[in-house]
Amino acid sequence: MATMNMAAPITFRPPEFTKSRHKTVIYLPKRIHISVSCASTGASTTTKPEIELEFIGPKPDENGKFPMDKAKAVSGEKLLRNIMSENKIELYAAYGKVMNCGGGGSCGTCIVEIIDGKDLLNERTNPELRYLKKKPESWRLACQTIVGNKENSGKVVVQRLPQWKK
């Protein structure tokens, strides 16, 4: 059996740490590698507040019911127009599909009516004040309407193409 001389002094230097995205590698003297992995669930420890949106269609179907589309958005990060576009929810009438300004607030073709949740949206902007001055307070331009304020959450109900209501 081999014997080990324990009388010789052993010196240690502090370990060196290297961090990468999902694991920490510790380098010890004499090139001993220890790898520590951290399991990631993909979920953040702090979740951002969300706004639920319901979009009511402009005209009833053959059963007399209005079609309904739903979407969710992180509070305060997107315009209503972009949320509708990303979720393939129709925003424009025939004329607006061809002649809209692309979200610049200069044409007035993206009018929606906020049925519920007005307090979860930004105040009317100057283009809205100009284009909607003779319209009901509940009418907004989707290209100027920010959904949420990064802190609030709740539900917003939107009537598409309110000018078509009878």
Side-chain angles (χ1 to χ4, degrees):
M1 180 172 195
T3 61
M4 195 180 261
N5 183 0
M6 298 301 278
I10 300 174
T11 58
F12 288 101
R13 59 177 198 185
E16 298 172 21
F17 295 93
T18 303
K19 261 191 161 176
S20 66
R21 186 171 179 179
H22 294 290
K23 69 179 184 178
T24 301
V25 178
I26 304 170
Y27 294 97
L28 297 172
K30 296 187 180 182
R31 299 191 186 262
I32 299 173
H33 246 91
I34 299 175
S35 181
V36 180
S37 295
C38 301
S40 175
T41 61
S44 174
T45 55
T46 58
T47 57
K48 295 181 179 180
E50 279 191 334
I51 304 290
E52 292 179 44
L53 297 122
E54 287 185 1
F55 298 92
I56 302 169
K59 292 187 176 183
D61 59 17
E62 60 276 353
N63 298 327
K65 294 186 178 184
F66 286 87
M68 180 86 64
D69 292 299
K70 294 185 179 191
K72 285 186 179 183
V74 175
S75 182
E77 291 191 358
K78 292 191 177 178
L79 292 167
L80 186 58
R81 177 185 188 273
N82 296 349
I83 295 166
M84 293 177 78
S85 175
E86 289 169 6
N87 288 280
K88 299 184 181 4
I89 298 169
E90 191 63 49
L91 172 60
Y92 299 106
Y95 172 79
K97 289 178 188 177
V98 179
M99 301 299 291
N100 73 73
C101 66
S106 61
C107 70
T109 60
C110 62
I111 294 174
V112 295
E113 182 176 8
I114 307 303
I115 305 296
D116 191 27
K118 179 183 175 185
D119 56 318
L120 298 173
L121 307 173
N122 64 317
E123 296 292 322
R124 274 189 172 184
T125 62
N126 287 335
E128 287 180 292
L129 294 172
R130 184 173 54 250
Y131 281 101
L132 303 174
K133 63 182 165 191
K134 295 182 181 179
K135 304 292 184 194
E137 273 298 308
S138 60
W139 286 27
R140 300 291 306 266
L141 295 179
C143 70
Q144 299 292 303
T145 305
I146 299 171
V147 177
N149 66 9
K150 296 191 184 220
E151 295 175 1
N152 59 6
S153 61
K155 182 177 176 181
V156 176
V157 180
V158 179
Q159 170 72 55
R160 297 184 292 124
L161 301 167
Q163 62 271 34
W164 287 13
K165 284 195 318 188
K166 292 182 179 180

